[in-house]
Amino acid sequence: MEAPHSPAADVTAVLTVHSPDLMQEFGRRLAKLLRPGDLVMLTGELGAGKTTLTRGLGEGLGVRGAVTSPTFVIARVHPPLTGGPALVHVDAYRLGGGLDEMEDLDLDVSLPDSVVVVEWGEGKVEELSDDRLHVVIHRAVGDADDDVRRVTVSGIGARWADEDLAALGA
C-alpha cells in the first residue's frame, strides 16, 4: 500500500535530455536540490540512463567512489567527501518482493542521514517516505536520435511543494 500524501503538494516537470553527458549534468543540477532524508526513485527501461543520472547525482553531492550500477551487489553506499549527505544507490531490479525485501537492506536506517536513490523502486519503496522524488526516463518517441530522453520529475509530498522542478531543465 502506498504511503498517504497530499496530491495538492505534488509537483511535476517534464524535461528533454539530449545526450548521456547532459543526463549526467541533469543529475548534478538535481543534486543541488537534495538533502539528507530524500528518497529518489528512478524508473526507466534498461539503458534509459538511470545510472548515468545517479553518477551525476554523486558528482553533485560530492561523494566518494565511482557511481556504477549496483545490480549485483543490490546497494552501494558512497560516503560524502564534503560534509554533505552520503549517497545510497540501490538497484531493486532483482528484488521481487516489495518492502519486505527492501527492509533487509535497512534503507529506513540510512534514509534520515543520506540521499537514497533506488533504481527500479516503483511499487517497492514508496512506504519508506511520504515525501519522495520520482524520476521517470523515457526514450523520446519519433526522434531519430536514440540518445534523446524525456524525463518526468515528480515531487511527491510536502517536501517538494515549494521546489521549482522545471528550473532543472534550464
Side-chain angles (χ1 to χ4, degrees):
M1 179 172 187
E2 189 171 349
H5 66 276
S6 168
D10 297 353
V11 293
T12 299
V14 179
L15 315 164
T16 301
V17 178
H18 294 276
S19 71
D21 287 342
L22 292 174
M23 183 67 76
Q24 198 163 332
E25 174 59 30
F26 169 67
R28 286 190 289 272
R29 285 194 312 269
L30 180 57
K32 293 176 184 175
L33 297 180
L34 299 177
R35 59 187 187 217
D38 283 343
L39 173 64
V40 180
M41 294 175 10
L42 302 180
T43 301
E45 62 193 45
L46 287 171
K50 297 178 298 296
T51 301
T52 300
L53 171 61
T54 306
R55 189 172 300 120
L57 288 173
E59 290 173 5
L61 291 171
V63 299
R64 187 178 74 216
V67 175
T68 59
S69 178
T71 300
F72 297 105
V73 295
I74 310 294
R76 279 197 175 92
V77 177
H78 297 275
L81 292 172
T82 59
L87 172 66
V88 178
H89 185 197
V90 179
D91 187 329
Y93 183 76
R94 296 183 334 163
L95 299 178
L99 197 57
D100 290 342
E101 276 190 70
M102 296 303 288
E103 283 180 352
D104 292 340
L105 299 176
D106 286 332
L107 293 181
D108 53 338
V109 173
S110 301
L111 191 56
D113 301 318
S114 307
V115 170
V116 176
V117 176
V118 183
E119 296 185 26
W120 306 98
E122 189 172 12
K124 298 177 183 176
V125 299
E126 289 86 345
E127 291 181 29
L128 287 174
S129 177
D130 289 343
D131 300 302
R132 60 193 172 275
L133 198 62
H134 190 183
V135 180
V136 181
I137 305 170
H138 294 284
R139 291 179 192 259
V141 178
D143 194 310
D145 185 351
D146 194 44
D147 286 340
V148 175
R149 303 291 189 262
R150 189 181 79 245
V151 181
T152 304
V153 184
S154 300
I156 300 165
R159 154 70 178 97
W160 298 101
D162 296 325
E163 294 289 353
D164 181 9
L165 297 178
L168 291 168

